[in-house]
């Protein structure tokens, strides 16, 4: 039976308000369907502008089967290409980060300029049409210091999300920040379990002693009703919007992304609750207690932006029960380690939290691998965010199955 039909059978067997049918968390064919209809079709967050500040700087990312390279051109623009040589297909850039005058394939040294044009191919004789053998482009956009790519030949609208995200992020100057530290961990769990775990804090008190020092375990913060009924959150938004920091809860009509600035129990994600970095990040120095600007954009990223630093998270599936989570800590570009911040203090809360979440997700996956698993009820008070994610996933898959645009159509 085709994967599409099996997805629809699983969808029809789904119990409302319950975790997903087992096969959606482990089946290789349904995993491929997730890749093809979501990860190869949607805009994905891949990294930051400030990681490639100079001409020729690049970073690479692997999205399912597709190696991609993102490079800063002579004109300052950021472009993305399929990282596969037009000679015999070798991957060209293998480093995660690098800098090059030209992108040179290590196999036979075909070389491409920073706009992807083939510039050198030794002894190919005549006639040889270089123009037809440039690197295949990948759609690429940058907004407020966050770089996004889309593998589809006909990418879905990006402008609406850009219009939503840019005002919230503009004061924070992420495009001119620097990555102080990054970590990639592999979680032995389906990518949807990583997201489900992220979208609730029902598990936070028993599992995250470090995070709970400043992140409130309040369902209004993680939920999907926007915290509108919470007077403390409403007052927080009023104060910050008057100070020029867009803060109110904004949820995309299709549920794909959410923006909101939520109060913390302190200033930052540190053990003391104080700032980890002496220099403010962006233009927020005058305003105390700005909390955390939260952004998720399914299926690839969630984010926290604080007054002194930002933390970005990138989720990329690498197998039916394996997911890579990359975390980056961003600080002011001029902040000096050991002077303006201590790296351990900056990173310890989320390094601990990520590892705790990894264990949670892995235990969740092991339990679901049991044939005895059956979908259980989500908690109505604390797990509204999980229901919102699952509803988005099922809706997005249904739309993709009904829409030819959802198919991977690589140029
Ligand atoms: S495969 Fe790249 S130069 Fe031959
Ligand atoms: Fe967690």
């Amino acid at each position: 039976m085709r994967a599409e039909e099996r997805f629809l059978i699983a969808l029809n067997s789904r119990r409302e308000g319950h975790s997903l049918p087992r096969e959606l968390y482990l089946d290789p064919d349904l995993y491929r369907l997730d890749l093809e209809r979501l990860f190869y079709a949607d805009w994905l967050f891949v990294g930051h502008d400030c990681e490639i500040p100079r001409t020729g700087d690049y970073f690479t990312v692997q999205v399912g089967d597709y190696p991609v390279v993102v490079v800063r051109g002579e004109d300052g623009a950021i472009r993305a290409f399929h990282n596969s040589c037009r000679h015999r297909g070798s991957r060209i850039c293998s480093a995660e980060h690098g800098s090059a005058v030209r992108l040179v394939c290590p196999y036979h040294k075909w070389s491409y300029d920073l706009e992807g044009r083939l510039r050198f191919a030794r002894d190919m004789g005549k006639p040889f049409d270089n123009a037809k053998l440039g690197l295949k482009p990948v759609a690429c956009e940058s907004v407020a210091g966050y770089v996004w790519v889309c593998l589809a030949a006909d990418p879905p609208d990006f402008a609406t999300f850009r219009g939503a995200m840019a005002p919230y992020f503009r004061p924070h100057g992420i495009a001119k920040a620097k990555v102080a530290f990054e970590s990639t961990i592999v979680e032995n769990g389906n990518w949807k379990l990583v997201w489900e775990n992220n979208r609730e804090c029902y598990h936070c008190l028993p599992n995250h002693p470090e995070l709970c020092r400043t992140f409130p375990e309040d369902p209004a913060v993680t939920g999907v009703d926007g915290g509108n009924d919470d007077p403390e959150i409403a007052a927080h938004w009023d104060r910050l919007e008057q100070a020029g920091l867009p803060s109110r809860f904004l949820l995309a009509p299709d549920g794909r992304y959410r923006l909101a600035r939520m109060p913390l129990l302190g200033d930052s994600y540190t053990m003391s609750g104080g700032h980890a970095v002496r220099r403010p990040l962006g233009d927020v120095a005058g305003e105390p207690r700005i909390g955390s600007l939260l952004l998720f954009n399914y299926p690839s990223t969630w984010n926290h932006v604080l007054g002194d630093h930002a933390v970005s998270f990138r989720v990329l599936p690498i197998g039916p029960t394996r997911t890579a989570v990359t975390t980056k800590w961003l600080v002011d570009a001029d902040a000096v380690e050991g002077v303006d911040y201590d790296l351990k203090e900056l990173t310890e809360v989320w390094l601990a939290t990520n590892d705790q979440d990894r264990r949670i997700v892995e235990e969740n996956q092991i339990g679901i691998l049991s044939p005895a698993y059956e979908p259980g009820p989500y908690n109505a008070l604390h797990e509204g965010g999980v229901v919102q994610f699952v509803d988005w996933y099922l809706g997005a898959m249904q739309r993709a199955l009904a829409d030819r645009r959802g198919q991977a159509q690589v140029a």
Side-chain angles (χ1 to χ4, degrees):
M1 196 188 304
R2 293 169 60 224
E4 287 86 345
E5 291 167 45
R6 292 177 49 212
F7 173 84
L8 292 172
I9 289 170
L11 178 72
N12 288 333
S13 75
R14 180 207 177 200
R15 284 181 69 188
E16 196 77 25
H18 285 63
S19 57
L20 291 171
R22 180 171 175 264
E23 53 270 34
L24 290 173
Y25 294 118
L26 53 83
D27 184 284
D29 294 334
L30 294 177
Y31 167 72
R32 277 220 80 73
L33 202 63
D34 284 354
L35 285 183
E36 288 169 6
R37 304 305 170 123
L38 297 179
F39 286 89
Y40 297 168
D42 287 342
W43 287 99
L44 307 175
F45 164 69
V46 287
H48 297 283
D49 303 47
C50 66
E51 294 179 80
I52 46 173
R54 290 172 299 274
T55 295
D57 290 349
Y58 67 84
F59 62 79
T60 58
V61 60
Q62 183 77 27
V63 182
D65 292 334
Y66 293 93
V68 174
V69 57
V70 179
V71 60
R72 175 90 65 174
E74 309 261 5
D75 56 359
I78 295 174
R79 296 180 179 81
F81 301 101
H82 288 283
N83 189 5
S84 174
C85 182
R86 298 300 306 277
H87 177 216
R88 283 168 52 200
S90 171
R91 185 168 66 170
I92 298 168
C93 301
S94 53
E96 282 182 21
H97 299 95
S99 193
V101 177
R102 289 194 174 172
L103 303 178
V104 181
C105 178
Y107 201 169
H108 313 93
K109 300 295 180 191
W110 281 28
S111 63
Y112 304 84
D113 67 23
L114 303 176
E115 292 180 26
R117 290 179 291 239
L118 178 61
R119 290 300 195 180
F120 176 73
R122 183 166 63 90
D123 293 344
M124 287 302 286
K126 300 280 179 191
F128 177 68
D129 191 353
N130 282 21
K132 289 209 173 92
L133 292 170
L135 294 180
K136 291 185 177 182
V138 173
C140 181
E141 296 277 355
S142 156
V143 50
Y146 293 71
V147 180
W148 309 75
V149 301
C150 179
L151 291 162
D154 182 16
D157 170 55
F158 187 78
T160 307
F161 171 65
R162 172 193 294 284
M165 177 182 173
Y168 284 80
F169 277 70
R170 195 173 291 126
H172 299 285
I174 305 288
K176 299 210 181 309
K178 70 173 179 185
V179 175
F181 190 73
E182 70 174 90
S183 94
T184 295
I185 60 172
V186 172
E187 303 190 13
N188 289 316
N190 182 272
W191 69 275
K192 295 186 289 293
L193 292 179
V194 173
W195 269 110
E196 289 191 35
N197 177 57
N198 172 261
R199 294 294 291 113
E200 49 93 356
C201 227
Y202 192 30
H203 71 276
C204 288
L205 275 181
N207 288 283
H208 294 319
E210 298 87 357
L211 184 67
C212 286
R213 289 190 174 224
T214 52
F215 190 76
E217 186 252 8
D218 180 350
V221 171
T222 49
V224 285
D225 59 5
N228 279 315
D229 303 333
D230 186 310
E232 192 191 331
I233 293 177
H236 178 75
W237 289 341
D238 285 346
R239 173 172 66 84
L240 294 175
E241 295 223 331
Q242 278 166 21
L245 296 174
S247 300
R248 284 182 200 291
F249 183 90
L250 188 158
L251 182 69
D254 66 356
R256 173 181 305 276
Y257 57 85
R258 184 274 329 257
L259 290 142
R261 200 181 297 276
M262 290 300 182
L264 297 179
L265 306 174
D267 285 315
S268 194
Y269 295 126
T270 55
M271 296 301 281
S272 69
H275 285 138
V277 188
R278 278 204 212 132
R279 286 169 174 271
L281 180 62
D283 191 17
V284 297
E287 197 56 34
R289 288 285 167 112
I290 67 170
S292 182
L293 171 57
L294 307 179
L295 162 70
F296 69 69
N297 188 322
Y298 301 142
S300 65
T301 186
W302 69 81
N303 293 272
H304 294 259
V305 183
L306 310 152
D308 65 331
H309 72 278
V311 197
S312 69
F313 298 82
R314 184 184 72 191
V315 178
L316 289 173
I318 51 179
T321 59
R322 278 163 65 81
T323 305
V325 177
T326 298
T327 307
K328 293 176 183 171
W329 287 259
L330 297 121
V331 300
D332 182 83
D334 294 326
V336 177
E337 184 185 342
V339 177
D340 296 305
Y341 64 94
D342 175 77
L343 197 57
K344 177 172 181 288
E345 185 180 27
L346 176 69
T347 57
E348 65 186 324
V349 168
W350 274 107
L351 283 176
T353 305
N354 282 347
D355 195 52
Q356 292 149 359
D357 282 327
R358 178 187 59 73
R359 278 187 281 119
I360 289 167
V361 166
E362 292 182 347
E363 293 301 327
N364 197 171
Q365 182 71 60
I366 290 169
I368 289 173
L369 285 167
S370 165
Y373 162 81
E374 61 180 279
Y378 291 126
N379 179 298
L381 175 63
H382 289 276
E383 293 179 317
V386 188
V387 173
Q388 192 272 337
F389 164 72
V390 167
D391 285 349
W392 168 80
Y393 165 71
L394 295 172
M397 287 294 283
Q398 282 177 278
R399 285 191 295 278
L401 291 175
D403 178 1
R404 287 187 55 220
R405 170 178 273 169
Q407 299 177 4
Q409 303 165 353
V410 175

